[in-house]
Amino acid sequence: MRHTYLLLLLLLLPVLSMAGILRGRVTDENNKGLPFASIYIKETASGTATNDQGLYQLQLSPGTYTFEFKYVGYRAHTQTVTIGEAAQELNVQLQPEVLNLKEVVVKASDEDPANAIMRNAIRLRKYHRDEVNAWSARVYMKGVARMDKVPSKVLGIKIVDVDTGIVYLSESVSELAFKKPNKVSERMISSKVSGQKRGFSFNQASEMNISFYDPLLKVEGLSERGFVSPLANNAFMFYRFEYLGTFQENGRTINKIKVIPRRKHDPVFSGNIYIVDGSWRIHSTDLRLTKDAGIEFVDWIRVRQVYAPVAAEVWMPVSQRFSFEGAGLGFKGSGYAMGVYSNYKVQPAYATPPRVEEVEPEPTPEAEVAAARPAKKPTYKVVAPQEATPPAQPVVSDELFSKEVLLVEKDANKRDSAYWASIRPVPLTQEEVVDYHKKDSLEVVKNSKPYQDSLDAVRNKPSFGSFLMGGYTYSKSYERRFYRFDPLLSLTGGPSILQYNTVEGVAADVRVNYRKTFEDRTYYQVEPTVRYGFSNQKLNAKLLLSYQYDPVKNSTISVEGGRYVAQINNQNPISPFVNTLYTLFAERNYLKLYQRDFGQVSYRSELWNGWRLNTSLNYAHRMPLENTTDFSFRERGTDEPSRFTSNVPVNAELEDASFTPHQALTFTAALSIRPGQRYISRPDNKINLPSKYPTLTLSYRGGFKALGGDVKYNTAGLSIADDVSLGLLGRSKYSVLGAVFWGKEDMRLLDYKHFNGNRTLIAGTYEGFQLLDYYRYSTNNRYLEAHYEHHFNGFLFNKIPLFRKLKWQEVVSLNYLNTQESRHYLELGLGIEHIFKVFRVDFVTSFQEGNKARTGVMVGFGF
């Protein structure tokens, strides 16, 4: 009964706080509620929208207001209402738009009138995009995700704690500001997440504020390439346009244009766009993206926007809604994200609006002859607007802007129901009200120890698949304690329990990771590891302790020590699983190991925004190891020698790369700098965002003859790396590293600079080399290393029917190395990725001093 009364109270809250409230319902001609109808208030330059049932509510100060009710495909309705202290109800019925096909004069019978309209809109695109120098607004956002169908199992794994209905419901209110050229500031003042009273919404108004005035629309997570706007300069290469007619709205003529993709599989929209006649600006949009356009994870997305004049000759979006639906692996879901803008303050860039004028052809002496020829198509020019005089008092202060693009206030999630009832511009549906009540009530239960223990009882049941290849996690969720065990075999190159190599024979490497997380997101880890080689009969063990004490700066200190084996190449270029396969089946022992008794202290942290420091101090007693077995599954003749090589690598700069036991005291430090790095500040963490500038890294490594250390050297390097978007052409990744050595009094091969090579069919990391020997060109002299990779993201294959259907994507790569012995070493690769969604295959050729050296086919993961 107590819950019933609370539910009734929540339902009645909007009614109980009615002072100064206008509410009602917007319906169609059949009296059916119109979801997401736009309501714009001219006097306040504010807007709102209806909910899924067509209901709306507005809280306003007493006064007289002009309301404009809009819905795409319906005639706008304008009504003046005087608001007093008492609540008022205003229901509005919109009528379907009546399109007039006589409004446009067709001057060229072989061309659709829509083309001329869209050309004018494209001519003025930049002016409309840049028509304000600065603006600010309050943005209400709501995100809803529903699960309509849930399977009982996925790939044999039982689905726990996922129901049909609303699975995510979040609201937020932000103060958003913009200033040319690209300064953005957002402050989230209110946040509400269903079932998470202490949680903060991930809504970001600045990310939702996409504009079709931009030629290419990039939405993170939807596509790697972006989508071509119908107003892009090259739009006619991607779209056909069809004139559907016009209608009148507030003395303006609005053109309705059908947007049709020229090719089914281009990254383009379809639907309708509405253009204001004369000013050629966007009035509203109703456009869709489908899987054919290259979107991931969902089947379709519908983008609806409504613009309105918020100042003289300045139009801004007053509402946006992104709806979606998707299905996969037995799941089916839908949802939407919406934004409603109000309290606009704008600083116009122009004193006069831009316009398009037809240019009259100049008369020629052959005018009479020309009169007998077909009439030429008219030409046009754009009359640029006059710049506006800057105001004495800026609309948006420069003090608002910094690298912090979003600040979530500490108390944003502590607003009560009365606050939300008064500030929420879009009423909740009854289902959403029930969802808030149900999940907020259940939150206490779900966070309780009995409930968490019951879920853990299901999650913690071991399976053959998890032990074999996936790894096993034992959870104590209520206590935030987790135990992680490695799998027997790791196909992805990570650690695995069972291994085989010529030094240890069969090796058992058992690691347990214990993690304890605290309420403030700090955590510590304890990771003991025990390793035993059955052929060399050596037992090794080490222990790692780490503590992250500052989640905002990701500050972590670690201590590690013990006796263990490690690869001589500290890049760890070959995984234990791949080495096991090649050793047993191909009789190739690429893995070269040594033993060390060591102690190490490491520290990492973000010093300032965009500046990250990683350091470590290591002391080790380093000992060589020898092969103790030559067993393999490959059959050898009686007199055929083993193809296994010594555990001592071959190096071009060393006549003998072997070493004797010795001590080494080494120190490493790397300072990474990302200029212009933007970030999001949340009360519990910091999220770093990409920068338009590359990352610079200064690195140092040195050996010191102190505390019994036997090695002495210094090396320092400078690297530059970046990931660059090239729009429809795809993305490019590159890195360049150059370094020098000095003070080389005593060095072993262990101290050389090693490179991430590969001699197997299984591709190593794609940030390294694919055909380079693991040790031949390791060096203690100056070197230059460079890597470049371009992912076309389907730019070429999308035009080939077979590849387009398979959704394969093309990639090219280049790897370069210059050392004292390698001279000019180059690898060129052509590849296909996204094969069955996850695989990648490359054909790679290497060249030494311009001469062809090796070729190979590499298979790896390419998501």
Side-chain angles (χ1 to χ4, degrees):
M1 286 296 293
R2 183 161 56 92
H3 289 164
T4 303
Y5 292 144
L6 180 58
L7 176 58
L8 289 173
L9 178 61
L10 289 171
L11 289 169
L12 291 173
L13 269 175
V15 181
L16 296 175
S17 54
M18 282 299 194
I21 284 183
L22 179 70
R23 62 188 179 90
R25 191 165 185 247
V26 180
T27 59
D28 62 9
E29 71 280 14
N30 298 317
N31 208 33
K32 183 179 178 181
L34 289 174
F36 196 61
S38 174
I39 301 108
Y40 177 65
I41 311 164
K42 294 184 177 180
E43 287 76 12
T44 62
S46 301
T48 186
T50 61
N51 65 14
D52 287 353
Q53 281 113 35
L55 297 171
Y56 74 93
Q57 67 179 26
L58 291 161
Q59 184 171 5
L60 298 164
S61 302
T64 301
Y65 301 91
T66 304
F67 296 90
E68 189 174 56
F69 297 84
K70 292 183 179 180
Y71 192 81
V72 175
Y74 286 77
R75 285 184 289 178
H77 174 81
T78 303
Q79 189 161 339
T80 301
V81 179
T82 299
I83 302 295
E85 294 184 356
Q88 293 177 251
E89 184 171 315
L90 175 62
N91 297 318
V92 174
Q93 187 177 61
L94 299 183
Q95 299 298 319
E97 62 190 17
V98 178
L99 297 177
N100 188 345
L101 296 176
K102 298 180 181 180
E103 293 289 340
V104 174
V105 178
V106 180
K107 294 186 177 181
S109 59
D110 60 341
E111 184 177 64
D112 193 292
N115 292 344
I117 296 169
M118 294 305 296
R119 287 194 186 99
N120 286 336
I122 291 169
R123 290 184 181 108
L124 298 184
R125 175 186 65 81
K126 290 184 179 180
Y127 294 101
H128 291 146
R129 182 192 64 187
D130 301 330
E131 66 182 352
V132 291
N133 286 326
W135 61 268
S136 66
R138 172 167 286 192
V139 185
Y140 165 81
M141 291 189 65
K142 182 163 76 171
V144 178
R146 295 180 52 86
M147 194 62 69
D148 302 314
K149 183 181 178 183
V150 178
S152 59
K153 290 184 178 180
V154 173
L155 301 176
I157 301 174
K158 189 174 181 179
I159 303 301
V160 181
D161 201 30
V162 178
D163 298 321
T164 56
I166 295 177
V167 294
Y168 178 78
L169 170 59
S170 171
E171 297 175 279
S172 65
V173 177
S174 295
E175 300 289 348
L176 181 63
F178 168 84
K179 189 170 185 178
K180 283 184 179 177
N182 56 2
K183 295 180 179 179
V184 177
S185 172
E186 182 178 352
R187 183 169 59 93
M188 185 181 293
I189 59 177
S190 308
S191 170
K192 186 174 177 66
V193 182
S194 180
Q196 300 179 37
K197 289 183 178 180
R198 290 184 296 178
F200 293 94
S201 171
F202 280 92
N203 294 341
Q204 189 175 347
S206 54
E207 285 295 310
M208 189 181 188
N209 197 39
I210 69 168
S211 172
F212 284 95
Y213 290 125
D214 291 325
L216 192 67
L217 284 75
K218 299 281 288 185
V219 182
E220 195 68 30
L222 284 185
S223 171
E224 297 168 317
R225 299 174 60 194
F227 307 98
V228 180
S229 168
L231 270 66
N233 291 343
N234 59 347
F236 280 87
M237 295 175 57
F238 294 91
Y239 294 101
R240 290 188 298 108
F241 300 103
E242 181 181 334
Y243 174 69
L244 299 180
T246 65
F247 60 91
Q248 298 296 312
E249 182 180 287
N250 298 325
R252 302 182 183 93
T253 300
I254 313 299
N255 299 287
K256 183 177 182 180
I257 308 297
K258 187 174 183 179
V259 177
I260 307 167
R262 285 191 178 273
R263 292 167 294 274
K264 183 179 179 182
H265 296 278
D266 278 344
V268 292
F269 297 85
S270 61
N272 299 318
I273 189 168
Y274 296 77
I275 302 295
V276 181
D277 202 72
S279 65
W280 313 113
R281 63 170 69 251
I282 297 175
H283 168 274
S284 54
T285 67
D286 188 3
L287 297 168
R288 285 171 61 101
L289 291 168
T290 65
K291 278 190 173 293
D292 288 333
I295 61 174
E296 302 285 347
F297 309 117
V298 294
D299 295 333
W300 56 261
I301 294 175
R302 185 180 182 185
V303 183
R304 286 180 284 184
Q305 297 177 314
V306 176
Y307 285 73
V310 298
E313 302 300 333
V314 174
W315 289 50
M316 298 290 288
V318 292
S319 60
Q320 299 189 85
R321 176 167 169 142
F322 299 82
S323 307
F324 64 88
E325 188 175 288
L329 296 176
F331 292 93
K332 185 176 182 181
S334 60
Y336 66 85
M338 66 179 299
V340 176
Y341 300 76
S342 61
N343 300 336
Y344 267 114
K345 295 178 182 178
V346 299
Q347 179 185 328
Y350 311 126
T352 59
R355 65 182 189 275
V356 177
E357 290 186 351
E358 185 175 334
V359 178
E360 295 290 338
E362 295 183 3
T364 64
E366 302 175 352
E368 294 182 0
V369 178
R373 299 173 183 167
K376 292 183 178 180
K377 291 185 178 180
T379 57
Y380 298 87
K381 70 175 182 179
V382 174
V383 179
Q386 296 179 359
E387 292 188 5
T389 303
Q393 188 69 28
V395 170
V396 179
S397 172
D398 282 332
E399 296 178 358
L400 281 176
F401 301 103
S402 65
K403 301 304 179 187
E404 183 183 59
V405 299
L406 170 60
L407 168 65
V408 181
E409 292 190 347
K410 185 177 180 180
D411 297 330
N413 61 350
K414 295 180 180 178
R415 313 292 188 182
D416 59 19
S417 299
Y419 168 87
W420 282 103
S422 65
I423 202 172
R424 181 183 289 123
V426 180
L428 296 176
T429 64
Q430 185 174 354
E431 182 187 24
E432 291 164 354
V433 171
V434 172
D435 187 75
Y436 270 134
H437 167 66
K438 176 183 175 182
K439 289 181 179 175
D440 289 349
S441 300
L442 286 175
E443 184 182 14
V444 177
V445 177
K446 288 190 173 184
N447 290 334
S448 67
K449 188 176 187 302
Y451 184 85
Q452 292 288 336
D453 288 347
S454 67
L455 289 182
D456 286 341
V458 177
R459 297 190 188 110
N460 292 338
K461 286 182 179 179
S463 66
F464 177 76
S466 63
F467 272 118
L468 181 63
M469 291 185 295
Y472 173 69
T473 299
Y474 181 84
S475 304
K476 300 286 288 183
S477 301
Y478 182 77
E479 300 171 1
R480 300 188 183 91
R481 301 176 187 272
F482 304 92
Y483 301 81
R484 169 73 182 177
F485 299 84
D486 292 331
L488 286 176
L489 301 173
S490 175
L491 302 182
T492 59
S496 59
I497 293 177
L498 288 182
Q499 305 175 23
Y500 180 79
N501 59 75
T502 55
V503 172
E504 302 171 291
V506 175
D509 193 329
V510 181
R511 181 178 64 163
V512 181
N513 179 277
Y514 167 75
R515 177 168 174 153
K516 164 64 177 176
T517 304
F518 299 94
E519 225 175 289
D520 60 358
R521 294 173 63 91
T522 61
Y523 67 86
Y524 68 82
Q525 293 186 100
V526 180
E527 189 177 280
T529 306
V530 177
R531 182 184 182 108
Y532 182 74
F534 287 88
S535 179
N536 67 352
Q537 298 182 351
K538 285 183 179 289
L539 178 67
N540 296 278
K542 64 177 180 176
L543 178 66
L544 169 67
L545 306 173
S546 65
Y547 175 51
Q548 186 189 76
Y549 61 89
D550 188 344
V552 174
K553 293 186 176 182
N554 196 23
S555 301
T556 306
I557 186 167
S558 304
V559 178
E560 187 177 16
R563 167 174 287 190
Y564 210 66
V565 297
Q567 293 192 47
I568 294 175
N569 185 331
N570 55 15
Q571 300 289 317
N572 296 316
I574 184 166
S575 75
F577 178 73
V578 172
N579 180 76
T580 298
L581 291 180
Y582 268 79
T583 304
L584 289 174
F585 294 96
E587 209 168 66
R588 300 289 184 184
N589 57 326
Y590 294 122
L591 191 72
K592 307 300 180 184
L593 300 172
Y594 75 101
Q595 183 173 291
R596 59 176 182 163
D597 298 341
F598 73 102
Q600 178 174 294
V601 178
S602 303
Y603 172 76
R604 71 181 184 195
S605 181
E606 184 178 47
L607 304 179
W608 306 281
N609 179 53
W611 293 63
R612 293 202 58 81
L613 177 67
N614 283 272
T615 63
S616 69
L617 180 66
N618 182 289
Y619 186 85
H621 176 64
R622 307 191 296 197
M623 296 162 283
L625 294 173
E626 298 179 351
N627 291 341
T628 62
T629 179
D630 63 354
F631 173 80
S632 74
F633 294 144
R634 177 177 172 269
E635 293 186 6
R636 292 195 297 262
T638 306
D639 299 326
E640 184 181 357
S642 169
R643 294 196 297 180
F644 287 132
T645 59
S646 165
N647 191 50
V648 178
V650 175
N651 178 259
E653 294 183 14
L654 290 171
E655 185 176 338
D656 182 3
S658 63
F659 65 92
T660 57
H662 62 279
Q663 280 67 239
L665 175 66
T666 56
F667 173 76
T668 63
L671 179 64
S672 296
I673 306 169
R674 189 74 187 264
Q677 178 180 276
R678 302 173 303 149
Y679 62 95
I680 295 171
S681 290
R682 297 170 64 86
D684 51 359
N685 69 335
K686 177 190 177 192
I687 302 173
N688 292 325
L689 302 174
S691 168
K692 65 179 180 180
Y693 300 104
T695 299
L696 302 173
T697 301
L698 298 168
S699 59
Y700 169 82
R701 177 166 56 91
F704 306 95
K705 288 197 172 182
L707 302 177
D710 296 318
V711 300
K712 187 175 182 181
Y713 64 93
N714 299 277
T715 178
L718 173 64
S719 70
I720 180 172
D722 203 3
D723 189 338
V724 183
S725 173
L726 299 178
L728 293 180
L729 290 175
R731 299 189 68 88
S732 286
K733 294 173 62 177
Y734 71 85
S735 65
V736 180
L737 168 63
V740 295
F741 285 81
W742 75 94
K744 302 177 291 184
E745 293 186 16
D746 198 343
M747 295 184 70
R748 313 295 197 277
L749 179 63
L750 304 171
D751 305 304
Y752 278 40
K753 166 61 183 178
H754 302 287
F755 303 100
N756 218 323
N758 184 38
R759 295 300 300 270
T760 71
L761 174 68
I762 310 300
T765 170
Y766 288 108
E767 296 175 357
F769 297 91
Q770 297 304 317
L771 299 175
L772 187 71
D773 187 88
Y774 300 109
Y775 293 98
R776 181 171 297 277
Y777 299 122
S778 298
T779 184
N780 69 346
N781 294 289
R782 63 166 183 79
Y783 62 88
L784 178 66
E785 177 183 6
H787 304 277
Y788 174 79
E789 208 173 53
H790 182 75
H791 301 260
F792 286 93
N793 297 336
F795 178 76
L796 301 175
F797 285 176
N798 199 48
K799 298 172 176 59
I800 304 173
L802 175 60
F803 288 101
R804 182 172 62 222
K805 192 169 184 179
L806 293 172
K807 295 190 176 181
W808 291 357
Q809 297 183 5
E810 58 278 27
V811 59
V812 297
S813 61
L814 180 151
N815 302 303
Y816 174 79
L817 178 65
N818 184 281
T819 71
Q820 176 179 285
E821 294 296 328
S822 72
R823 301 298 181 181
H824 297 289
Y825 175 85
L826 179 68
E827 292 179 355
L828 297 176
L830 295 174
I832 300 174
E833 57 185 350
H834 290 204
I835 300 172
F836 301 117
K837 296 278 187 187
V838 297
F839 294 109
R840 171 174 165 175
V841 177
D842 290 77
F843 177 77
V844 186
T845 302
S846 64
F847 300 87
Q848 193 95 35
E849 287 289 282
N851 299 314
K852 187 175 178 180
R854 294 184 62 212
T855 60
V857 176
M858 306 290 118
V859 179
F861 292 100
F863 297 95

